[in-house]
Amino acid sequence: MLREAENAYRMLQLSETGSDVYSSNCMIDVYSKRAMLEEARSVFQELKNRGAANEFTYIMMLCLYRRIGRTDKAFQIAKRMRDSGLLKDPMSYNQVLGVYVLDGRIREAVLTFKEMNAAGISPDDSTLRLLRLLLTRCGISKHAVGKMEVSAKRDMNAGIQAYLSALSAIALTDDSETT
């Protein structure tokens, strides 16, 4: 259905109102699923030039870069999202957090989770899965992580504090190993 989607998108672009951010984001998604980088980048750039790119636009590009193994570009997108204030909900934070966790960037992952917490955005199940992965990759036992998860289910604030403590300790260890 790629050609049909492209034709419909071109028709929207040629209409009086032009393509909106939703249809453009849909095209980026179509291109992303097919790893069509140049085509997705073209739509992304056009949205940025119009000042219409939103958090979903950036998330789809971040996912595309991650999918094709271009973590350097995914990190740039994540930084732009942070700098532009586009991290607004658990989904956007989770996408950025996921890029850092999957690449083993402990410091950035911890910072992202701390920013999420400071912004008053409650972690969801996806956030907790990413934190579980990060903590177990850093050597925290599955049993200990399981206790944190139970704590978060019973009392989210207490659970978040447990995660923050564990993550801060890991980040400190990571910092001392890199200096």
Side-chain angles (χ1 to χ4, degrees), residues 98-131:
V99 167
Y100 294 137
V101 168
L102 295 174
D103 197 59
R105 291 187 166 232
I106 297 165
R107 189 175 316 125
E108 291 91 341
V110 171
L111 178 64
T112 301
F113 182 65
K114 285 181 176 181
E115 285 176 8
M116 181 180 186
N117 186 54
I121 297 173
S122 295
D124 61 12
D125 289 340
S126 295
T127 312
L128 298 180
R129 274 192 300 278
L130 288 166
L131 295 176

Side-chain angles (χ1 to χ4, degrees), residues 9-69:
Y9 185 66
R10 268 190 228 102
M11 289 179 69
L12 280 172
Q13 287 178 307
L14 296 173
S15 70
E16 276 185 35
T17 57
S19 59
D20 62 2
V21 69
Y22 178 78
S23 60
S24 297
N25 284 344
C26 288
M27 268 325 294
I28 292 173
D29 187 46
V30 167
Y31 290 139
S32 176
K33 287 177 180 169
R34 293 174 169 262
M36 298 172 72
L37 177 59
E38 291 309 315
E39 293 83 351
R41 196 181 316 187
S42 174
V43 176
F44 178 61
Q45 192 60 50
E46 188 263 325
L47 283 172
K48 282 182 14 183
N49 291 345
R50 287 190 320 187
N54 60 20
E55 67 269 20
F56 300 109
T57 311
Y58 281 86
I59 286 170
M60 284 183 278
M61 289 304 295
L62 184 130
C63 291
L64 171 59
Y65 284 125
R66 189 172 65 199
R67 182 178 291 125
I68 64 172

Side-chain angles (χ1 to χ4, degrees), residues 58 62 71-81 83 100:
Y58 281 86
L62 184 130
T71 53
D72 58 325
K73 292 291 189 183
F75 297 142
Q76 287 175 5
I77 294 287
K79 182 175 178 357
R80 278 191 222 142
M81 288 178 73
D83 294 346
Y100 294 137

